[in-house]
Amino acid sequence: MKKFFNLAMAFVATMILFSSCDKDSTFDPEQDNTVNFTPAKFTGGHMSIGKSGFYIVMLSDEEDIHSYVLTLYNKLGEVDENGNVTIPSGTYTLAAGGEDYSIAPHSQYTDKSEGAENSRTVHFTEATAVVSENKLVLTAVIEGVKHVVTYNGSLSMRADLPEPDLEFVANHAYAYYAGNTSEENVAEFKLFLSDIGRDEKGNVLPNGTYYRFNLCVDKLDSNAEIAIPAGKYEIGKTGSATGYITDDAMYYKFGENTSVAEDDDMISSGYLTVNEDGSIEASLVMYFSGATHTITFSGEVDILENTMPSEAPYSTLTSDRVCDLSNHSFSCYYNEKSYGDGYQSWTVSIYNEKFVGDNIVLEILCGTDMNADISGKYTISNSLDEYTAFPGYVDGFTLMSSWYYYRENALNISEYAPIVDGWVEIQKNDEGTYTITFDVYDDLNNNITGSSNVTPFMEAAASQPAINL
């Protein structure tokens, strides 16, 4: 989900795609415990995500002293002859999950009345936005105070149009087999389809296009030939051992530099069919672009040796590691899972946006609801107590819970180590940033340390992101 979070933050940071002015703004604080605000400026940006999308809106006075930034999820509205779209009419409510007609929980109010250096940013605890033709009324509860924001004017902005469908002929197909998964009698094939294949070390090549899938099959007999069973595999259909692809399937397109993909997307739905003769057909819907990619391959799938350990120790480190986290971002996902005495699971990730370098991901337990403050000191433990972090483990080709890993590029992880002991401290600073410090150990007793001061992106609810090798 990094692509979504990075783009969303870019929208909030710039917010200059379309702007219009109305009459002078008014800000009347606490009239009968209500703040009434008539903004002078409307600034908006639209982004398509698959068949739906979101509208980021900032309502502010001329000097941006008081501003309300809200993300409204909904399908693409009517696009005019100039390529602009208007926010669809209706009532939007604060909710997690990104459903249509919802307001994202990271929507916020900023007050700079005491100077930019002393600005305050606060998330809404309750919110409703009523959108009609040339009018938006936001009613939000902020720090216990009701705010009513009424904007009269155009709600139009530049439309982010979905990308066209694509037909792709794969000339190379190769796969790895893993028999160690968390489900009994279930195994996985990690399959790659590409136009130009890989180098002698299995790495991606410049100017190459790649599709990656984890196909779930019945565990093969120890004496059986290792080959992908013929059949139809569907994205995310996890009701049976065979016939589905886990929901972390990906698409990458590289240019001259393989460190960063020129284009990449998650595959949200569709199917892949392996025929008896080894040929492959696939129809895949991209998550962000909404485009359908139709893929064909004629030939045999090369089965390569899986060098990943099937049991602990999993670490590939040969010495202690001091992490360089100087150019990193921080995200926090609420997993909607509880353990022990009802403590909620969060996934904290410190990652390099350019997909090269040291990365840390942690699954922590904190609080009993989605409004928990994640600040605190966590020990690595399976005790299910509050302020603990789950040790890392492997499920097939996936690194689960808490790990250190090093990326060579967007597609290749060259080093990895489960975090099984030690501590992590998360400290929230006055300016809204977080300082994260850790002193942990892997399953070969290598000491992994680091510290980073980062600005968070916190999504109220999301499926737990997994690191796929």
Side-chain angles (χ1 to χ4, degrees), residues 39-352:
K41 293 196 305 184
F42 166 91
T43 310
H46 169 256
M47 181 175 291
S48 290
I49 302 179
K51 303 302 181 184
S52 191
F54 59 87
Y55 302 78
I56 295 185
V57 172
M58 182 167 75
L59 302 171
S60 64
D61 49 34
E62 284 288 359
E63 303 300 324
D64 295 335
I65 302 299
H66 302 281
S67 59
Y68 300 78
V69 177
L70 56 155
T71 299
L72 305 175
Y73 287 97
N74 213 334
K75 294 180 175 60
L76 178 67
E78 183 177 351
V79 180
D80 65 21
E81 65 276 6
N82 297 317
N84 294 325
V85 62
T86 298
I87 303 173
S89 297
T91 299
Y92 298 74
T93 55
L94 190 69
E99 300 296 326
D100 288 347
Y101 291 100
S102 67
I103 303 173
H106 56 258
S107 300
Q108 61 193 33
Y109 163 67
T110 299
D111 180 0
K112 298 180 182 178
S113 57
E114 297 184 8
E117 67 279 3
N118 296 314
S119 65
R120 293 189 309 114
T121 297
V122 185
H123 291 91
F124 307 158
T125 53
E126 299 177 27
T128 300
V130 179
V131 177
S132 54
E133 185 176 1
N134 295 323
K135 186 173 184 178
L136 189 158
V137 179
L138 168 68
T139 304
V141 176
I142 302 168
E143 294 183 323
V145 177
K146 181 180 178 181
H147 290 232
V148 179
V149 182
T150 304
Y151 174 77
N152 292 285
S154 172
L155 302 176
S156 178
M157 63 197 72
R158 178 65 61 183
D160 176 31
L161 299 177
E163 295 179 11
D165 295 341
L166 173 69
E167 292 188 1
F168 178 78
V169 177
N171 299 314
H172 299 264
Y174 54 98
Y176 304 84
Y177 174 77
N180 58 313
T181 72
S182 58
E183 294 188 49
E184 187 176 0
N185 298 321
V186 177
E188 289 184 2
F189 279 95
K190 181 170 62 173
L191 170 67
F192 293 88
L193 298 176
S194 173
D195 52 354
I196 62 175
R198 69 196 194 286
D199 66 15
E200 64 278 2
K201 295 182 179 180
N203 296 321
V204 299
L205 295 171
N207 302 308
T209 297
Y210 297 85
Y211 295 83
R212 185 195 70 200
F213 313 88
N214 276 19
L215 280 62
C216 293
V217 302
D218 288 327
K219 188 172 293 185
L220 302 180
D221 184 83
S222 58
N223 297 320
E225 176 188 5
I226 298 179
I228 302 175
K232 184 176 182 180
Y233 298 82
E234 295 189 54
I235 300 288
K237 301 297 183 182
T238 59
S240 61
T242 59
Y244 71 91
I245 302 169
T246 56
D247 58 5
D248 53 3
M250 291 290 299
Y251 152 74
Y252 299 93
K253 183 177 181 180
F254 292 94
E256 294 293 338
N257 183 355
T258 60
S259 295
V260 180
E262 285 188 346
D263 190 24
D264 64 277
D265 212 331
M266 296 187 296
I267 302 171
S268 62
S269 62
Y271 68 88
L272 179 147
T273 300
V274 179
N275 299 312
E276 293 289 347
D277 62 359
S279 63
I280 294 175
E281 304 165 4
S283 178
L284 310 165
V285 179
M286 300 297 118
Y287 178 80
F288 291 105
S289 71
T292 297
H293 290 206
T294 302
I295 305 172
T296 55
F297 167 76
S298 298
E300 293 185 2
V301 178
D302 293 331
I303 303 299
L304 307 179
E305 180 185 3
N306 177 18
T307 58
M308 183 175 179
S310 59
E311 58 185 23
Y314 298 109
S315 178
T316 64
L317 298 185
T318 57
S319 62
D320 295 345
R321 183 62 52 91
V322 178
C323 297
D324 178 4
L325 306 175
S326 57
N327 188 27
H328 284 56
S329 296
F330 166 48
S331 61
C332 184
Y333 309 84
Y334 174 53
N335 293 321
E336 296 186 307
K337 297 178 182 178
S338 61
Y339 298 91
D341 293 332
Y343 301 124
Q344 298 298 305
S345 167
W346 298 77
T347 296
V348 173
S349 180
I350 308 174
Y351 58 93
N352 190 307

Side-chain angles (χ1 to χ4, degrees), residues 337-345 365-369 382-388 390:
K337 297 178 182 178
S338 61
Y339 298 91
D341 293 332
Y343 301 124
Q344 298 298 305
S345 167
L365 293 183
C366 179
T368 56
D369 58 45
N382 275 319
S383 67
L384 304 183
D385 292 333
E386 190 174 21
Y387 297 110
T388 60
F390 285 114

Side-chain angles (χ1 to χ4, degrees), residues 180-181 307-316 382 391-396 398-399 403 416-420 441-445:
N180 58 313
T181 72
T307 58
M308 183 175 179
S310 59
E311 58 185 23
Y314 298 109
S315 178
T316 64
N382 275 319
Y393 67 98
V394 173
D395 186 1
T398 306
L399 309 183
W403 285 81
Y416 48 88
I419 296 173
V420 300
Y441 293 84
D442 68 6
D443 55 2
L444 291 177
N445 205 38

